[in-house]
Amino acid sequence: MKLLSLAALLGSVAIGVTLRAWGQPLVSASGKISLWVNSVWSGENSQQIADWYTLSHVIHGMLIALAGRALGWRIGFPLALGVAIATGVGWEIGEHTTWVLERFRGETIYQGYRGDTVLNAVCDYLFMLGGFALGASARVRTSLLLILGLEVASALVARDSLILTTIRVVHPVPAITAWQDAANPRSAPGP
């Protein structure tokens, strides 16, 4: 378990060092640090500590913990934590590859997306680990209801969620794009 704890810590270091080496800024160009960004259309989205996409990272961690529980904790917990660490680090780094960035930018909701700041990427990883801890400790039913609630709240308020992002990246659906664009303040008709 100590080895996995060390791996979890080193995961955040790997994310930070890699993204910084790839030219991602430490913090937002505005220079301010905020706990929460409430709009996916804001230039501060994916630049601060948390935003609506943070919920997807919490859900990611919870889903892996639930999978580990389904395997049985004797074998499943260390394996599930290892998978959470590997996929969390892999996603935060992989998200900043040219292929993924271009895939995101091809969708209207992400136009202009320049990637996360190091602050946001490391915090998203830590939130994923928090989601894993929550999924590992909460009752299964509570975890499932929380996952559903976070997914629905994110979809209704931000018009994006883990499921919607996955659909859009794997196979964009014009109806989803149109629904998301309807909330885009940049595409609203002028006075």
Side-chain angles (χ1 to χ4, degrees):
M1 192 60 189
K2 287 181 184 179
L3 187 59
L4 283 172
S5 297
L6 178 61
L9 174 65
L10 291 176
S12 62
V13 173
I15 292 166
V17 168
T18 302
L19 296 190
R20 191 66 186 129
W22 288 356
Q24 291 305 114
L26 290 174
V27 297
S28 171
S30 70
K32 66 180 184 177
I33 296 176
S34 300
L35 180 61
W36 176 259
V37 175
N38 199 38
S39 172
V40 296
W41 306 105
S42 168
E44 293 295 311
N45 192 56
S46 296
Q47 306 299 295
Q48 299 296 336
I49 292 171
D51 52 47
W52 283 101
Y53 294 106
T54 302
L55 303 182
S56 294
H57 296 280
V58 171
I59 292 168
H60 167 190
M62 292 180 75
L63 288 171
I64 293 172
L66 289 173
R69 291 174 85 166
L71 293 173
W73 275 131
R74 277 177 66 109
I75 296 171
F77 181 81
L79 176 62
L81 181 54
V83 168
I85 293 165
T87 59
V89 171
W91 172 250
E92 291 304 331
I93 292 173
E95 177 184 2
H96 293 87
T97 61
T98 302
W99 184 83
V100 174
L101 286 172
E102 291 304 318
R103 188 80 174 161
F104 275 149
R105 290 176 188 145
E107 293 296 315
T108 308
I109 198 167
Y110 297 124
Q111 285 180 352
Y113 178 64
R114 56 194 181 277
D116 300 346
T117 60
V118 172
L119 172 69
N120 180 263
V122 169
C123 286
D124 280 346
Y125 169 74
L126 295 175
F127 277 109
M128 183 279 302
L129 290 175
F132 180 87
L134 182 58
S137 61
R139 292 178 178 216
V140 171
R141 181 179 175 162
T142 301
S143 293
L144 291 172
L145 289 172
L146 185 54
I147 288 168
L148 180 63
L150 292 174
E151 194 65 14
V152 169
S154 183
L156 292 177
V157 176
R159 295 209 181 192
D160 209 1
S161 66
L162 181 60
I163 292 170
L164 293 173
T165 297
T166 303
I167 291 169
R168 241 187 3 268
V169 171
V170 173
H171 181 71
V173 175
I176 293 173
T177 301
W179 176 69
Q180 290 173 322
D181 285 347
N184 184 345
R186 294 179 212 132
S187 64

